Amino acid sequence: MNATIPNANSVIGQPLSRVDGPDKVRGTARYAAEFDIPDLAHAALVHSTVAAGRIAAIDTARAVAAPGVLCVVTHENAPRLPYKEMKTRPPVDPQSGEQLHVFQGPDILFNGQPVAVVVARTLEQAEHAASLVAVTYAADGQATDFDAAEPERPAKATEEGGRPAEAGRGDADGALAKAPVSVDVRYSQPREFHAAIEPHVTIAEWDGDRLTLHDKTQWVDNAANEIAHVFGMGKDAVRVISPFVGGAFGSGLRTWPHVTIAAVAARAANRPVRLELTRRELFQSVGFRPRTDQHLMLGADPDGRLRALVHEACGETSVYEEYAETTVKPSLSTYACDEVRTSYRLRRLNTNTPCPMRGPGTVTGVFGLECAMDELAVALAMDPVELRLRNHADRDQAKGLPWSSKELKACYATAAERFGWHRRSPAPRSMRDGDLLIGWGMATAVYHANRSAASASATLHPDGSVVVRSAASDMGPGTYTSMTQVAADTLGLPPERIRFELGDTAMPSAPVHGGSITMASVGNAVAAACRALQAKLGELATCARQGPFAGAPIADVVAHDGGIGRREPPYRVVAYEALLKQHNLTHLEATATSAPGSETDDYSSSAFGAVFVEVQVDPELGTVRVPRMVGAYDVGRVVNPKVARSQCLGGMVQGLGMALLEQGEWDPRFGKVMNANLAEYLVPVCADVRELDVTFVPGSDTNFNPLGAKGLAEIAICGVAPAIANAVFHATGRRIRDLPITPEKLLL
Ligand code: MOS
C-alpha cells in the first residue's frame, strides 16, 4: 500500500516548534545524570600524571579509610575483564589498535589515563578520597611532540575502513609540473574539543548479571554492544537509556573507558554508581579533533580549469589506537579534475585517542582545499566563485557515479545574491569601513550523505494517538520534532496525536546519531513503520464483513486524514480508533526496517553548500569580527525549516570558533592540554556572533532515499573556516594558514 491520498496540509516542511521544548525549558527533560536511582553512590577518578611508563606503586590506604568511601578500584584489585573482540568493529571505533583496557595492568599510555576509581556515598567524599590515593610512576619513553613523531602510513585496517593511505587518479605530479599556474601551500589546524555543555556521565546499575546504564551517548545500541563485549556478556544483558543529550558533536559516538569504569565501580561497590566527568576530565577522556597538517598543490590552466590536485594530510593519533580521518577525501570529488593524488599519514603520540568531531575529516580537508582554491583564484586573477563554477564536478569522479542530486550551482547563486557578492572589489585591502579593513570571502561546503539500516515501531492507541519508537538519539538537532512530523505526515494525523520516543535499547534498533545520517536513516524507518501500521489498519478495514469497506481489496484502502478511506472518490473515511474498537483491540502495533538498497551502486550522494562571509579586521589590534555570514545549502528535502535553520546557525557558530578561537594548547613536555577548561579553551559567545543568514535551495533527493532528505548537520560547519580565512586575506592581504586566526598572527 504505497499510494496515499495526497495530504493537502503536509506536516513535512512545516516550521514546527520543538515538541520537547517545554520539557527542556521546565527542566523536566531528564539527562543521563539526572535519573533518580535509590542508593546511588558517586565515583571520582584518579589519573596518571605522566605520559608514558608504568605505575611503580599505588597506595589506596588513606582513601579507603576516608569518610563515606565504599571502595577503591585500581589495577591491583580490579576484575580481569574479557574485552572480547567484536566480530565487526562499529564504524565509530578506530579500525586498528586496542581500546584502552581500564585497570588491567600498570602500563601508562597517556597523561590523564585513569589509574583508580573511588566510590563514596557523596561526590564530595569521593573526590576528597581520590585526592588521597598516592601513586608513584616509573616514567619512560614518552612520545608527545607532534613535530618530532615520524609520520606513519596507516595500517591495512584503515584502508579497509575507507581511509586509504593513498588514493587518486591519473598522474597528478606530472600534470602539476606542466601546469601553467600553480599554488603550493601548507595549512594546519590545532587539536580542537567538542566542548558540549552537558558533560559525559554514566549511571551504572547491576541487577544480578544484568546491567542498566543511563549514559550520555549518541548510540545506545552500540554502547550496549560494546559494554557487553568488554564484560563478556550477551548484548541483551545490557540496557542503555539515553533520552536526552545536551550536545555531543561526536564525543558520544564511541563508548569510552569511563562507561566501563562506572560498571566496574558499581559492581565493586554493590550499589548503583554515577560517574560524571569533570570539565577538565572531558579534555582527556572523550576524544577530540586531531591536530592536522595539510599540504596542497593545485595546478590550473590560465582559464582556471584544474589540471592537477595533490592533497597530503597528517593527523595525530594515540599509541594504542589508529584513529584515521577522511581529511583528503573532499579533494577526490569536490571538483572536476583528472589528475589527483592524495595521501594520509598519522603520528602516534602518548595521548588519549582522538575521535570524530563536528564534520570529522571533511571539515578539516575542506578548510585546506577551499583556502587553496582561493589562493589559486588570486594567482589566476579570477573571481573565486567563477573558479569554482569552472571546475564544477558534474559527477563524482572518485566513485565514477552521477550524483543522486546536486544543487551546488544554485547554492552559489543564492548565497552570492543574498550576500551582494557582485559589489566586492577584488583587490586585497581595497574595502574599508572607517579604520577597519573589510574582507569578503567564500567557500564551497560538501558533506557526504550516508544512510544506514534503521527500525521503528508505530503503535495506535484507542484514544487515537500513535506512539512511534526507535532507539535513536537527539543531541540537539530536533530528532523528536522532525520524526514526529514524518510520522504525522505519513499517517495523516495532526502532530499533537504523535508521540515519538527514542534513546533506549529496548526500542527497535537505530544506527549511530552521527555523520548527519539520522533523518535519512531513522526518518525512513519511521515512515515505513507508519505505513506498516496503515497497512494493518487497511486489512482490518477490508476484512470487516460489515463495515465501510467490506470486500474492498486492500490496495483500494488508503490512509486519509487520520483514518482509512477508499482510494477512489467519493471517500468514506473511518477513523483509526474506530477500527480498533470495531475489532476489540487495545492497541495495534507495526514494526518496520528501512535500509539502503542498490541506489548506492548507481549514485553518489552528498549535501552541498556555499558560504559567504564578511570580516572586519582592526589593523591596530589584529582582531577579526564576522559581522555577517550567508549560507545556502542543498540538503534535499527539509523536514522542518525551523530546526534545520537552527542546525545551520549552530554549525556556522562552530565554524567561526574553528576559524578564530578554538585551540587546545598541547604542551609536549607534559603530553597534556593546558587549557582544559571553558575559560581558556575559547568558543564563540553571543558577542562573537552577528548576522547569520541561512537559505535552503529547493530540492528533494528521492534517488538517495524515499524521504528525499540528504542529512543536515555537519554540512553547516563545513566551509565556514576557509570562507573566514579567505575573507581575512581579502581584508588584509595576509594569508594566515594556521588556525585559529588569532590577533597575534595578524600583528606579527
Ligand atoms: Mo558527528 S562528529 O558524526 O557526531
Side-chain angles (χ1 to χ4, degrees):
M1 200 169 84
N2 291 322
T4 53
I5 298 169
N7 188 338
N9 308 307
S10 176
V11 187
I12 291 183
Q14 297 300 315
L16 199 68
S17 290
R18 287 173 192 259
V19 296
D20 51 339
D23 277 342
K24 285 186 172 169
V25 171
R26 291 191 198 112
T28 48
R30 278 202 292 177
Y31 292 78
E34 299 176 326
F35 284 82
D36 264 328
I37 312 281
D39 274 338
L40 188 65
H42 299 264
L45 296 171
V46 181
H47 310 95
S48 166
T49 54
V50 302
R54 292 166 62 84
I55 299 170
I58 187 160
D59 180 356
T60 61
R62 288 181 65 207
V64 169
V69 169
L70 299 168
C71 65
V72 180
V73 181
T74 71
H75 72 281
E76 292 182 342
N77 64 351
R80 297 304 104 184
L81 298 173
Y83 279 98
K84 269 176 54 189
E85 183 68 26
M86 300 175 87
K87 239 182 257 149
T88 329
R89 282 204 191 182
V92 294
D93 283 1
Q95 298 301 302
S96 65
E98 281 285 328
Q99 65 173 292
L100 187 73
H101 291 191
V102 291
F103 310 148
Q104 300 298 295
D107 292 346
I108 297 300
L109 304 175
F110 63 92
N111 193 335
Q113 176 182 328
V115 294
V117 62
V118 178
V119 184
R121 292 205 167 78
T122 70
L123 178 60
E124 292 75 11
Q125 288 169 333
E127 287 178 341
H128 172 65
S131 75
L132 303 176
V133 175
V135 194
T136 51
Y137 299 94
D140 183 35
Q142 142 183 354
T144 45
D145 185 350
F146 183 91
D147 297 306
E150 202 55 42
E152 288 177 34
R153 211 169 174 280
K156 188 160 175 286
T158 300
E159 307 212 10
E160 285 162 359
R163 286 144 210 210
E166 276 95 24
R169 53 185 173 262
D171 170 19
D173 296 282
L176 188 65
K178 282 185 257 157
V181 184
S182 63
V183 294
D184 180 336
V185 278
R186 290 171 191 271
Y187 304 93
S188 75
Q189 149 261 304
R191 186 180 290 201
E192 296 167 357
F193 291 88
H194 306 82
I197 292 303
E198 184 201 20
H200 280 259
V201 57
T202 306
I203 296 175
E205 187 177 13
W206 291 92
D207 175 11
D209 286 336
R210 303 183 62 80
L211 175 65
T212 301
L213 300 169
H214 290 89
D215 187 37
K216 169 172 172 151
T217 174
Q218 292 170 242
W219 196 3
V220 287
D221 285 327
N222 185 58
N225 199 18
E226 293 225 11
I227 293 301
H229 277 79
V230 169
F231 286 86
M233 306 187 293
K235 178 179 180 255
D236 292 341
V238 186
R239 181 173 177 195
V240 179
I241 298 168
S242 184
F244 291 98
V245 175
F249 321 128
S251 65
L253 298 169
R254 293 191 72 177
T255 306
W256 296 107
H258 71 270
V259 183
T260 298
I261 294 175
V264 165
R267 178 148 267 179
N270 205 19
R271 298 255 298 256
V273 166
R274 179 167 84 189
L275 173 53
E276 180 170 342
L277 299 181
T278 64
R279 183 57 61 183
R280 183 170 289 279
E281 285 170 342
L282 290 167
F283 283 77
Q284 64 197 22
S285 309
V286 293
F288 49 87
R289 191 198 296 285
R291 171 178 166 182
T292 303
D293 289 1
Q294 304 184 58
H295 184 192
L296 282 113
M297 290 173 273
L298 271 50
D301 282 343
D303 68 358
R305 265 184 308 168
L306 278 173
R307 283 296 175 214
L309 202 174
V310 176
H311 189 170
E312 300 168 341
C314 184
E316 58 184 338
T317 189
S318 67
V319 294
Y320 56 97
E321 283 178 309
E322 185 178 275
Y323 172 70
E325 295 208 312
T326 53
T327 316
V328 293
K329 266 198 164 174
S331 289
L332 292 162
S333 56
T334 301
Y335 296 110
C337 183
D338 294 334
E339 327 274 349
V340 182
R341 178 171 68 77
T342 66
S343 93
Y344 184 70
R345 294 290 183 270
L346 289 169
R347 296 178 202 239
R348 291 182 180 275
L349 301 180
N350 287 104
T351 176
N352 58 313
T353 308
C355 78
M357 176 178 136
R358 309 181 196 158
T362 308
V363 159
T364 306
V366 165
F367 161 65
L369 177 62
E370 288 302 294
C371 285
M373 285 293 280
D374 198 71
E375 303 211 31
L376 181 63
V378 170
L380 289 159
M382 183 176 288
D383 179 83
V385 181
E386 180 60 29
L387 176 64
R388 285 161 174 86
L389 288 171
R390 287 194 188 182
N391 292 290
H392 184 265
D394 296 330
R395 59 204 314 272
D396 180 352
Q397 280 183 286
K399 290 188 182 167
L401 292 173
W403 303 103
S404 54
S405 73
K406 183 170 187 177
E407 298 297 335
L408 179 57
K409 287 180 183 171
C411 294
Y412 293 132
T414 304
E417 157 88 36
R418 294 182 72 87
F419 187 84
W421 183 254
H422 66 279
R423 296 196 308 272
R424 178 181 190 256
S425 89
R429 296 185 84 94
S430 64
M431 294 172 75
R432 282 174 185 265
D433 178 3
D435 292 338
L436 298 174
L437 302 170
I438 301 297
W440 288 6
M442 60 80 59
T444 304
V446 291
Y447 202 80
H448 47 84
N450 286 323
R451 178 184 175 210
S452 288
S455 301
S457 65
T459 310
L460 173 66
H461 292 283
D463 63 355
S465 69
V466 176
V467 176
V468 180
R469 293 191 178 92
S470 179
S473 175
D474 186 350
M475 65 169 147
T479 314
Y480 278 107
T481 311
S482 52
M483 295 304 161
T484 299
Q485 286 174 268
V486 172
D489 198 81
T490 312
L491 289 164
L493 287 173
E496 303 78 51
R497 277 173 64 182
I498 307 288
R499 194 168 80 239
F500 181 71
E501 297 180 346
L502 55 70
D504 188 335
T505 46
M507 298 173 181
S509 70
V512 63
H513 182 46
S516 307
I517 69 167
T518 298
M519 182 48 71
S521 309
V522 180
N524 283 296
V526 165
C530 291
R531 279 196 299 272
L533 178 64
Q534 279 175 352
K536 280 193 170 179
L537 287 160
E539 278 174 49
L540 287 186
T542 311
C543 54
R545 288 198 184 177
Q546 286 130 20
F549 309 113
I554 293 176
D556 284 352
V557 179
V558 295
H560 178 61
D561 285 341
I564 293 286
R566 298 292 292 267
R567 184 187 304 280
E568 297 300 326
Y571 310 126
R572 271 195 66 194
V573 176
V574 53
Y576 291 148
E577 55 269 39
L579 282 170
L580 280 191
K581 208 168 173 193
Q582 274 175 21
H583 293 264
N584 286 324
L585 295 171
T586 56
H587 67 281
L588 190 66
E589 179 170 312
T591 301
T593 296
S594 176
S598 61
E599 70 277 358
T600 50
D601 300 331
D602 302 332
Y603 298 104
S604 179
S605 297
S606 177
F608 299 97
V611 188
F612 289 70
V613 305
E614 175 172 319
V615 299
Q616 300 168 331
V617 182
D618 185 323
E620 307 286 316
L621 299 174
T623 48
V624 179
R625 293 262 164 198
V626 182
R628 62 198 183 102
M629 207 184 290
V630 175
Y633 304 97
D634 162 22
V635 294
R637 191 170 182 200
V638 175
V639 171
N640 180 326
K642 191 173 188 174
V643 297
R645 176 173 173 272
S646 292
Q647 277 280 84
C648 290
L649 300 182
M652 285 171 152
V653 171
Q654 292 179 343
L656 187 123
M658 179 181 182
L660 301 178
L661 297 166
E662 296 187 56
Q663 62 180 327
E665 302 275 8
W666 175 257
D667 189 329
R669 291 171 301 171
F670 305 108
K672 197 173 157 115
V673 171
M674 305 311 284
N675 57 340
N677 59 73
L678 288 184
E680 294 166 292
Y681 181 84
L682 302 181
V683 295
V685 297
C686 289
D688 296 308
V689 179
R690 309 275 283 277
E691 194 186 314
L692 305 178
D693 179 277
V694 176
T695 306
F696 299 106
V697 302
S700 178
D701 192 342
T702 47
N703 286 332
F704 175 45
N705 67 77
L707 202 53
K710 290 205 271 195
L712 161 57
E714 288 153 302
I715 185 70
I717 177 172
C718 208
V720 174
I724 291 175
N726 296 339
V728 167
F729 170 77
H730 181 238
T732 64
R734 298 272 309 281
R735 283 284 172 194
I736 306 301
R737 300 187 179 94
D738 303 310
L739 294 182
I741 303 171
T742 46
E744 68 274 15
K745 291 177 188 168
L746 278 169
L747 288 178
L748 280 178

